[in-house]
Amino acid sequence: MKSKRRRVNNYNDDAQGEAILPPEMFCEVLARLPVESILRFRSVCKSWCRMIQSPFFISLQLGVTKNKPCRFIVQSQREIDMSSLYLVDIEDLKAREIQLEKIKCRTRLKFKLPALGVRCFCDGLLCMASEKRLDPVCICNPITKESVILPLSRSKAHLVRHKLAFGFDQSSGKYKVIRDYRTSSNKHLSKFQIITLGESSWRQLNAPQNLCTSDWDAAVFWNGSLHWIIDDKTIEEPILAFDLSSETFYTIPFHRLCFSHECYELQVLGASLTIVEHNSHMIKIWEVAGNKAKGFSANCREEHDTYVCWNKYFFYKTISQPSHKSFMLQVCITDNNNVKKDWFTRFVPEKVRYFHQDIHGLPDHFNTAHFKPSFVSPNALLSVQSQLPVLKSS
């Protein structure tokens, strides 16, 4: 208790009047409020602002957030309309616009943040980058409106694909970013690099030979490792995993009955790593069990008829499973002019019903990332500062 008091007793030096609650109890209450309310409380007085920005409160609020329902970050897929993010609360059917040009960036980098797309997320931080260039890679907190640019790779390679994965290494207490890219000189081979936030340069990783990860989905962080679907129908262990602690790759077996990589997506539904299989009108949920030491297995947890004949012009992605009785889907339809339209819908297999989620203000065609708001500061994570990068605008 004394250590907690020492952490917070300097936050009430300029508060008016006597505190009704002990400081540590006040932090506990404040951390459980919606993030929008906490943002407003930062303006009450300097002591409240310092408390909300303190490592103690940030850690406390982050722990509370992990037990709350996930929100979504939505960004338009059209390059001319990528200037804003949308924080979606699917329970309340609300979306709050966050303009990227208002996010501060500690860099002399001569570029505009809206030129980058959201690639992955971890602990309230977004990892943003271009699909066709290695540089720049930005870590951004859209709630605190802070962002930093990671050290540049200085590579001039022509890319055909650039994806990122982001996770927290529990053993070191540090965040790590892994990039997965393919060059025009070898379009069917994935290359990997890693950087720990605070390091001054990227490091090359030795991945298993001749592997190419799927373009369909981003990597999934689960149980201390990042996971990708391998785009090779002949391989018997089609899930590639990377242990953030040991920084080693390994694979997970799964018997694929459908050979199109678009038939499968990796998700964390509940607390489990799952493989969602789409096969015409059917949806199957496979749950991965086990560990590296004892081996892995995938068992079919549930199977449902969607009563819709999905195809390449009318398809869906499983976004989340709000309860064991329903799935949140992002549906996309392509019209005769090749114009795409996205929307959210809740599918309830037991009732064989779809409930359209009427959320105003979203772009017509968008990407979705899971998101749990936090006050983790990107600036504070870069404990080892290299010279700020400079890059000419494109």
Side-chain angles (χ1 to χ4, degrees):
M1 185 65 72
K2 290 183 179 179
S3 62
K4 285 188 176 182
R5 287 188 181 277
R6 282 196 295 271
R7 292 187 186 113
V8 295
N9 62 6
N10 60 326
Y11 305 134
N12 58 3
D13 56 351
D14 63 341
Q16 298 297 318
E18 200 69 31
I20 299 175
L21 295 174
E24 63 273 10
M25 189 177 295
F26 181 74
C27 286
E28 292 278 357
V29 173
L30 193 62
R32 283 161 172 75
L33 295 177
V35 67
E36 291 81 5
S37 299
I38 300 175
L39 285 172
R40 290 195 297 270
F41 289 152
R42 288 197 306 180
S43 303
V44 171
C45 61
K46 291 180 180 179
S47 63
W48 284 27
C49 184
R50 285 199 301 271
M51 178 189 65
I52 292 170
Q53 294 174 344
S54 71
F56 171 71
F57 181 81
I58 291 172
S59 177
L60 181 64
Q61 189 272 340
L62 183 62
V64 171
T65 300
K66 288 183 177 180
N67 296 320
K68 290 184 177 181
C70 196
R71 296 192 190 183
F72 304 121
I73 281 285
V74 162
Q75 185 181 32
S76 173
Q77 289 201 45
R78 310 188 200 284
E79 290 188 7
I80 60 173
D81 192 28
M82 293 174 63
S83 59
S84 293
L85 304 177
Y86 299 86
L87 178 58
V88 177
D89 187 334
I90 208 74
E91 297 296 325
D92 294 334
L93 300 180
K94 294 180 180 179
R96 180 164 68 91
E97 183 179 7
I98 301 172
Q99 296 180 358
L100 289 173
E101 63 182 16
K102 293 184 178 180
I103 294 179
K104 301 175 182 178
C105 188
R106 286 187 57 186
T107 181
R108 290 182 281 112
L109 192 64
K110 298 178 181 179
F111 86 108
K112 293 183 178 180
L113 195 59
L116 306 181
V118 175
R119 305 301 166 204
C120 47
F121 128 87
C122 182
D123 288 351
L125 300 173
L126 301 177
C127 191
M128 304 181 68
S130 166
E131 285 187 330
K132 300 298 183 182
R133 292 180 298 174
L134 290 180
D135 300 317
V137 175
C138 174
I139 303 297
C140 159
N141 187 325
I143 300 302
T144 64
K145 293 184 169 54
E146 297 175 87
S147 66
V148 294
I149 302 297
L150 298 185
L152 305 180
S153 67
R154 306 295 181 183
S155 172
K156 296 182 180 179
H158 182 265
L159 304 186
V160 295
R161 203 278 309 273
H162 180 215
K163 300 180 75 175
L164 291 154
F166 189 24
F168 181 72
D169 177 11
Q170 195 72 39
S171 65
S172 66
K174 294 183 180 294
Y175 292 89
K176 296 182 179 181
V177 178
I178 290 86
R179 61 163 40 124
D180 162 19
Y181 64 98
R182 302 203 301 263
T183 63
S184 57
S185 60
N186 199 337
K187 298 180 180 180
H188 304 291
L189 177 65
S190 290
K191 296 182 179 180
F192 295 87
Q193 291 181 340
I194 185 173
I195 189 169
T196 299
L197 268 61
E199 290 182 340
S200 60
S201 62
W202 293 80
R203 295 176 280 121
Q204 203 73 32
L205 290 171
N206 295 320
Q209 296 297 316
N210 303 320
L211 287 182
C212 179
T213 59
S214 171
D215 294 332
W216 186 244
D217 282 310
V220 172
F221 181 64
W222 174 75
N223 201 24
S225 295
L226 294 159
H227 301 78
W228 299 261
I229 288 282
I230 299 173
D231 190 10
D232 185 345
K233 65 183 181 181
T234 64
I235 197 167
E236 294 182 355
E237 297 184 335
I239 300 176
L240 177 66
F242 180 78
D243 187 311
L244 284 180
S245 179
S246 63
E247 296 192 358
T248 55
F249 286 96
Y250 60 97
T251 53
I252 298 175
F254 174 66
H255 181 62
R256 291 193 279 197
L257 301 177
C258 176
F259 294 119
S260 170
H261 67 275
E262 294 183 3
C263 287
Y264 298 95
E265 55 178 315
L266 284 177
Q267 290 282 359
V268 176
L269 300 180
S272 302
L273 178 66
T274 57
I275 305 159
V276 183
E277 179 184 352
H278 314 286
N279 192 350
S280 184
H281 58 93
M282 300 298 295
I283 178 174
K284 290 184 179 181
I285 308 298
W286 298 82
E287 184 172 300
V288 176
N291 53 53
K292 286 197 300 179
K294 297 181 179 180
F296 293 90
S297 63
N299 303 302
C300 186
R301 188 176 76 189
E302 50 189 301
E303 179 179 2
H304 305 287
D305 193 331
T306 65
Y307 296 93
V308 176
C309 288
W310 306 95
N311 54 60
K312 64 179 181 179
Y313 302 106
F314 184 47
F315 60 92
Y316 71 94
K317 293 178 66 177
T318 308
I319 303 300
S320 67
Q321 190 173 13
S323 71
H324 69 281
K325 294 183 178 180
S326 67
F327 297 89
M328 189 62 62
L329 310 179
Q330 179 180 336
V331 181
C332 180
I333 189 169
T334 306
D335 65 18
N336 294 332
N337 297 317
N338 203 33
V339 176
K340 295 182 178 181
K341 169 72 176 178
D342 291 282
W343 66 90
F344 292 116
T345 188
R346 188 187 297 263
F347 171 53
V348 183
E350 191 177 80
K351 298 181 180 180
V352 196
R353 292 190 63 184
Y354 291 86
F355 297 90
H356 176 66
Q357 307 297 289
D358 189 13
I359 304 173
H360 295 288
L362 295 182
D364 288 337
H365 184 40
F366 55 81
N367 282 321
T368 303
H370 292 86
F371 186 74
K372 291 194 174 184
S374 79
F375 291 86
V376 176
S377 169
N379 295 319
L381 298 177
L382 299 187
S383 56
V384 179
Q385 294 288 344
S386 57
Q387 184 178 359
L388 293 176
V390 177
L391 186 70
K392 294 182 180 179
S393 57
S394 57

